[in-house]
Amino acid sequence: MDKRLLIKKALEAREKAYVPYSNFRVGASVLTEDGEIYTGCNIEISSYSPTLCAERTAIFKAISEGHKRIKAVAVVGDSDFTYPCGVCRQVIREFGKDAIIIVANSEKDYKEYRLDELLPHSFGPEDLENKKK
Ligand code: THU
């Protein structure tokens, strides 16, 4: 896995952030199981609640193109190490139980976690498995 490439892509995506309300730019990239990379930025809406985080923009782009599993997510924000919010952690959980999360300030300055370190004792699709008809 080329972590520096993932961070580079997230940094490029951050340039596209639409953040007229917070001015807090975030970019993300997602590595799919078959090696493709999708990127996303945060998109803010004047009525606030429809706002979408960069991570979810990238993940939903990947899923909507037919991918089912994600191996890694890189995120670059506007603070010193911007971590994925709780909602994004749960969305990552849906498609990448074993995903690696790269939280970066730059291509050289980053930290790496397994999803279960950031979202321990999680709830996920398997919990609903025996309820399916
Ligand atoms: N944001 C993200 O894009 N990802 C995160 O993980 C944290 C927060 C965005 C949402 C909003 O546009 C701005 O940062 C401030 O909350």
Side-chain angles (χ1 to χ4, degrees):
M1 180 188 310
D2 188 343
K3 291 168 197 161
R4 289 177 76 154
L5 176 63
L6 280 176
I7 296 167
K8 181 172 180 281
K9 295 273 186 190
L11 285 164
E12 285 169 9
R14 190 175 64 174
E15 296 296 312
K16 307 271 184 1
Y18 175 76
V19 289
Y21 310 107
S22 74
N23 201 32
F24 188 88
R25 294 179 175 275
V26 186
S29 64
V30 168
L31 178 67
T32 65
E33 200 170 47
D34 46 1
E36 284 188 46
I37 296 175
Y38 287 81
T39 60
C41 61
N42 53 334
I43 301 167
E44 297 180 346
I45 305 300
S46 56
S47 59
Y48 296 171
S49 62
T51 292
L52 196 60
C53 290
E55 298 92 319
R56 276 177 289 148
T57 304
I59 293 165
F60 293 159
K61 281 168 70 177
I63 302 307
S64 66
E65 291 299 322
H67 300 280
K68 297 281 190 295
R69 308 302 313 158
I70 58 179
K71 276 178 26 182
V73 177
V75 54
V76 288
D78 245 352
S79 53
D80 188 31
F81 295 113
T82 302
Y83 284 78
C85 77
V87 172
C88 289
R89 293 177 197 203
Q90 188 67 45
V91 172
I92 296 167
R93 169 69 176 82
E94 185 77 17
F95 303 108
K97 189 174 193 292
D98 302 316
I100 299 297
I101 314 296
I102 299 159
V103 181
N105 286 334
S106 71
E107 281 175 60
K108 290 182 185 161
D109 185 18
Y110 64 87
K111 297 177 184 178
E112 190 181 324
Y113 303 87
R114 294 188 320 273
L115 176 68
D116 67 357
E117 294 178 89
L118 300 185
L119 191 69
H121 308 292
S122 65
F123 183 86
E126 306 77 23
D127 292 290
L128 299 175
E129 222 21 75
N130 59 17
K131 285 295 191 187
K132 283 183 187 162
K133 289 186 179 165

